[in-house]
Amino acid sequence: MKKVIYLVFAILLFQAGFAAKEVKEQFEPGVWEQVNNKFLIDSIPIRYYSNILIKLLGNPSQEDQIIIQELTDTLNSLIDVWDVAIIPEGTANLLIEINDVGNRNLENHIQERNNGREIIQNKIILNIPQKLNYEERRKIIYYYFMHSIVYFHNKDSFNNYAGKRIKGLVFDEKSPASITYHPIDFKIIKALYSKIFDDIYKFSPRKTSLYKPTKPEVRVQYTTLFNLIGLLIAAVYLIVLSYFKVFKEHNYDFILFLRQGFLIYLAYASYVILKMSLLMIFTYTTFKYQYIVANIGGTFIVVMISIITIYFVEYFIISKKKENLYLNVFIPFVSTTMVPSILMILFLMNIPDVMIRRNVVISASTSGIAFCSIIGIARAFYIYLSLSSKNIIRQKDVQLARLNQLHKQSELQSLQSKINPHFLYNALNSIASLSTVDGKKTEKMALALSDFFKYSLNKEQKEMVSLKEEIESVETYLTIEKVRFGDRLNFAIQLPEELENITIPQFIIQPLIENAVKHGISKIVETGEIRLVVSAKNNNLEVRVFDNGPAISNEPISGYGLQSIQEKLNLIYGNKAYMSWNNEPEKYVLISLPLNDKS
């Protein structure tokens, strides 16, 4: 389906290029610029859209009649849509009044009657002195006759007119005396009355019996209303796409950014097509398909260039400052509104097309800028909501992480509170039993117990400690147990110097030693041996506690010591740490921790 859509728009672009070329080729060199700049208003010239019927009034001389007849015959041969004729009686739509007795004091001028779209009736009032020769009379009649059959919208503003003037051209001179019967004079008339304007913008009583002229003010109201309807439909289309989550977070991925920009262009295309369709239905207007194709195709080029420009502007400004909410909202609004608008104005001002003129630039740019502004506001609002919701979610995540951390610390403290009373019970019993036998051992054990609990109190609330600190605590613990067991307990600790500063959870090794004493050494009568070996292997820290006590059961370990260690490992490392035990060839318990990796 996407390929079909892309193919259709490729064809539209291809047609757009030939549409402008086809229109321009209808005119001879030099004529197009004159027609485009001087006579086209809202895409069409204001001229007669019916037969031009001429009636002579007043007191024209024989020479005047000959001149008017010659002009009439010439124009009739040039105009291929309507007839141009002089009628003696009946209703005429071009009245030429020469030297009328009642108008002797009036200057030569034209009384124009048009409805803003076509000439309804013109009246030329001339007072030509009888003393003027044939050539002088001919220039006066020629000048006003040519001006009467087409509405030249710049004729009253010569000083403000910035277009290219041609010396001697009847439409560029201020008085009849300056004209030279320039060859382009009749070419302009021929172009303005050519069939192409009927095809592009059909406006004629002969086309339909339902024809009703639309007044300019009514036409403006229609255009405004249809603009609003088109924008509304385009907005509904975009809302539906947003509802079905077609617009996704692109993170400035170029292809995704371009694709979503193209979907927005389709909204503009639907707006243009709908507006033109309504104008055709309700104002009796017919647009040639090349106009619609050129409008949509030209807009497509502008939009694609705009999307690419917007992408790079936003990418280099915003991509590195994604956390700045206001920058992420303001820049897309400005770029979405301004870039297409500026490019659209430049496009309309510089690309020649029969539908594009200086007076059309204002209306076309206004609707384009309005549409771009709506898209800019919608996009900024969407980005604001998206980033705001992300910030809220991020804050919730931080709060949840803090709660999880507090929960984890609470659970660790709960586990720790289980260890210390158990050990304290055994140690105090040992001190009590030694107090009546050996005072020095009692004192030594009491001091060692004090050092051990000073470490276990953890006043700084540290979750992680260095391996050296943990081993010193273990050594203190074994010293206490050595006092209790005497020669029945021997221990050895192997800790490579390069591993001393590695951090591990507090009290992760001591329960292993305590378990070895409780379930190993205390169960045998011969000398007990405990060996603590710390090593690094495959980016893991391995801690092994060997003892020569009874073998460990293969069933799940009962008892508190090893179970507390497993719970700690799960809380802190998840599945990245593990514990195991072995009875052959030596009995030991192993815990493996990832180096420098804590969940």
Side-chain angles (χ1 to χ4, degrees):
M1 185 63 185
K2 291 181 179 178
K3 291 182 179 180
V4 173
I5 294 175
Y6 293 145
L7 178 61
V8 169
F9 276 92
I11 294 173
L12 288 176
L13 286 175
F14 181 78
Q15 288 284 349
F18 279 94
K21 182 178 179 183
E22 176 188 342
V23 170
K24 192 173 180 180
E25 286 179 349
Q26 299 291 330
F27 302 93
E28 294 185 33
V31 176
W32 161 248
E33 183 179 3
Q34 300 299 316
V35 170
N36 185 51
N37 291 332
K38 294 182 173 70
F39 300 98
L40 299 188
I41 299 178
D42 289 342
S43 309
I44 61 168
I46 297 178
R47 60 168 173 82
Y48 285 97
Y49 286 86
S50 61
N51 295 329
I52 302 176
L53 304 178
I54 304 168
K55 182 181 289 188
L56 295 179
L57 303 174
N59 298 293
S61 67
Q62 186 174 0
E63 290 180 338
D64 296 337
Q65 295 179 40
I66 293 172
I67 294 169
I68 294 173
Q69 185 64 57
E70 288 177 351
L71 285 173
T72 301
D73 294 340
T74 302
L75 291 175
N76 194 48
S77 65
L78 292 175
I79 298 176
D80 57 1
V81 180
W82 307 107
D83 291 328
V84 182
I86 299 175
I87 59 173
E89 297 180 355
T91 302
N93 51 15
L94 177 55
L95 305 176
I96 302 178
E97 186 176 277
I98 301 177
N99 295 335
D100 185 83
V101 176
N103 294 326
R104 286 180 179 177
N105 298 323
L106 295 179
E107 294 183 357
N108 297 337
H109 68 282
I110 301 173
Q111 294 179 350
E112 296 175 328
R113 285 184 55 199
N114 64 72
N115 64 358
R117 300 178 68 184
E118 69 169 336
I119 296 174
I120 303 301
Q121 185 186 70
N122 278 349
K123 184 176 182 180
I124 304 173
I125 298 177
L126 300 177
N127 281 306
I128 306 175
Q130 294 295 331
K131 62 181 180 179
L132 295 183
N133 59 37
Y134 179 84
E135 184 57 30
E136 291 173 331
R137 302 180 73 86
R138 186 169 185 269
K139 282 189 174 184
I140 294 173
I141 296 173
Y142 179 87
Y143 182 88
Y144 286 98
F145 193 103
M146 295 292 280
H147 276 267
S148 69
I149 61 174
V150 65
Y151 181 77
F152 173 31
H153 60 83
N154 285 309
K155 61 187 176 183
D156 296 324
S157 55
F158 281 102
N159 295 330
N160 298 324
Y161 175 53
K164 182 180 178 182
R165 294 191 181 93
I166 298 178
K167 185 176 179 58
L169 187 71
V170 68
F171 300 108
D172 281 348
E173 296 296 346
K174 296 181 180 181
S175 66
S178 302
I179 64 173
T180 61
Y181 306 109
H182 200 285
I184 295 183
D185 288 350
F186 285 114
K187 292 179 180 180
I188 289 175
I189 297 299
K190 181 178 180 180
L192 292 172
Y193 277 87
S194 63
K195 194 173 183 297
I196 186 172
F197 288 104
D198 280 347
D199 290 337
I200 294 173
Y201 200 121
K202 293 179 181 177
F203 181 89
S204 170
R206 71 176 182 177
K207 303 298 180 184
T208 171
S209 59
L210 297 176
Y211 166 74
K212 296 178 181 179
T214 306
K215 295 181 179 179
E217 61 272 15
V218 176
R219 186 182 178 200
V220 171
Q221 293 172 2
Y222 272 131
T223 303
T224 303
L225 175 63
F226 298 154
N227 268 322
L228 292 176
I229 293 174
L231 290 173
L232 178 63
I233 297 300
V236 170
Y237 160 78
L238 293 174
I239 291 172
V240 170
L241 291 183
S242 300
Y243 177 79
F244 288 103
K245 298 181 179 179
V246 175
F247 297 113
K248 301 177 182 179
E249 186 175 359
H250 48 70
N251 291 320
Y252 290 100
D253 174 82
F254 182 74
I255 300 301
L256 186 57
F257 192 92
L258 196 65
R259 186 183 305 163
Q260 294 184 172
F262 177 75
L263 292 176
I264 295 176
Y265 161 72
L266 291 181
Y268 181 80
S270 64
Y271 152 69
V272 172
I273 293 173
L274 179 62
K275 180 181 72 172
M276 291 182 178
S277 300
L278 292 174
L279 282 172
M280 287 193 301
I281 295 172
F282 291 98
T283 63
Y284 305 95
T285 302
T286 302
F287 294 100
K288 195 174 183 181
Y289 85 97
Q290 283 98 332
Y291 174 40
I292 301 177
V293 170
N295 193 309
I296 297 175
T299 306
F300 176 79
I301 296 173
V302 171
V303 168
M304 289 299 104
I305 296 175
S306 299
I307 293 171
I308 295 172
T309 304
I310 290 170
Y311 170 81
F312 285 106
V313 168
E314 294 182 7
Y315 179 79
F316 286 109
I317 295 178
I318 298 177
S319 60
K320 297 180 181 178
K321 297 183 179 181
K322 295 182 179 179
E323 303 302 321
N324 191 320
L325 176 62
Y326 296 104
L327 187 65
N328 276 268
V329 172
F330 178 73
I331 295 299
F333 168 72
V334 173
S335 61
T336 305
T337 303
M338 298 302 298
V339 171
S341 300
I342 293 172
L343 290 176
M344 187 177 299
I345 292 174
L346 293 176
F347 180 82
L348 292 172
M349 291 293 293
N350 290 282
I351 296 182
D353 185 274
V354 74
M355 292 301 150
I356 298 172
R357 274 147 314 277
R358 291 171 303 160
N359 57 333
V360 177
V361 168
I362 298 175
S363 59
S365 299
T366 301
S367 60
I369 292 172
F371 184 84
C372 293
S373 299
I374 293 173
I375 296 300
I377 293 172
R379 187 164 176 243
F381 183 68
Y382 177 83
I383 293 173
Y384 176 79
L385 291 181
S386 177
L387 292 179
S388 297
S389 63
K390 281 184 180 180
N391 288 337
I392 293 173
I393 293 172
R394 192 179 296 113
Q395 292 174 2
K396 294 294 183 183
D397 288 341
V398 171
Q399 293 175 359
L400 184 60
R402 289 177 179 173
L403 290 174
N404 289 337
Q405 185 69 18
L406 292 173
H407 180 67
K408 184 185 291 185
Q409 290 177 355
S410 176
E411 288 184 327
L412 289 173
Q413 291 173 359
S414 176
L415 290 171
Q416 187 62 44
S417 68
K418 294 179 182 179
I419 297 174
N420 293 339
H422 180 81
F423 170 67
L424 180 61
Y425 173 77
N426 290 332
L428 290 177
N429 280 340
S430 298
I431 292 174
S433 62
L434 288 173
S435 63
T436 58
V437 178
D438 191 335
K440 290 185 177 181
K441 283 188 176 181
T442 302
E443 181 183 3
K444 182 179 180 180
M445 190 172 183
L447 291 174
L449 184 63
S450 175
D451 291 338
F452 180 78
F453 271 93
K454 182 179 179 182
Y455 173 77
S456 66
L457 285 175
N458 191 10
K459 292 182 179 180
E460 297 178 0
Q461 297 296 313
K462 294 189 297 183
E463 182 183 322
M464 308 294 287
V465 296
S466 68
L467 191 54
K468 181 180 179 181
E469 291 177 299
E470 181 73 5
I471 295 301
E472 288 176 350
S473 172
V474 168
E475 194 170 7
T476 302
Y477 171 81
L478 286 171
T479 299
I480 295 172
E481 294 292 16
K482 177 71 174 174
V483 172
R484 185 161 68 96
F485 284 94
D487 294 336
R488 288 181 56 208
L489 172 62
N490 291 324
F491 65 87
I493 297 175
Q494 297 178 18
L495 172 62
E497 186 177 351
E498 64 271 13
L499 300 179
E500 288 183 350
N501 294 323
I502 292 176
T503 57
I504 62 171
Q506 188 183 29
F507 279 111
I508 201 72
I509 299 177
Q510 185 273 339
L512 295 178
I513 303 297
E514 183 177 354
N515 187 74
V517 173
K518 179 179 178 181
H519 298 284
I521 304 306
S522 64
K523 303 297 183 181
I524 60 176
V525 295
E526 64 269 20
T527 301
E529 299 286 344
I530 294 178
R531 184 159 49 95
L532 172 60
V533 180
V534 181
S535 62
K537 183 179 179 181
N538 297 330
N539 204 33
N540 286 324
L541 180 69
E542 294 186 347
V543 179
R544 287 180 173 84
V545 176
F546 296 84
D547 73 79
N548 60 343
I552 301 174
S553 172
N554 289 327
E555 298 298 325
I557 296 177
S558 60
Y560 149 73
L562 298 182
Q563 187 176 8
S564 67
I565 296 174
Q566 186 64 62
E567 290 175 1
K568 272 191 176 183
L569 295 178
N570 291 337
L571 280 170
I572 298 174
Y573 294 103
N575 60 359
K576 296 179 181 180
Y578 66 90
M579 180 178 63
S580 64
W581 56 89
N582 194 34
N583 290 311
E584 296 293 339
E586 290 185 90
K587 174 194 172 187
Y588 66 85
V589 177
L590 165 70
I591 59 172
S592 177
L593 312 175
L595 287 172
N596 302 321
D597 191 0
K598 183 168 75 92
S599 298

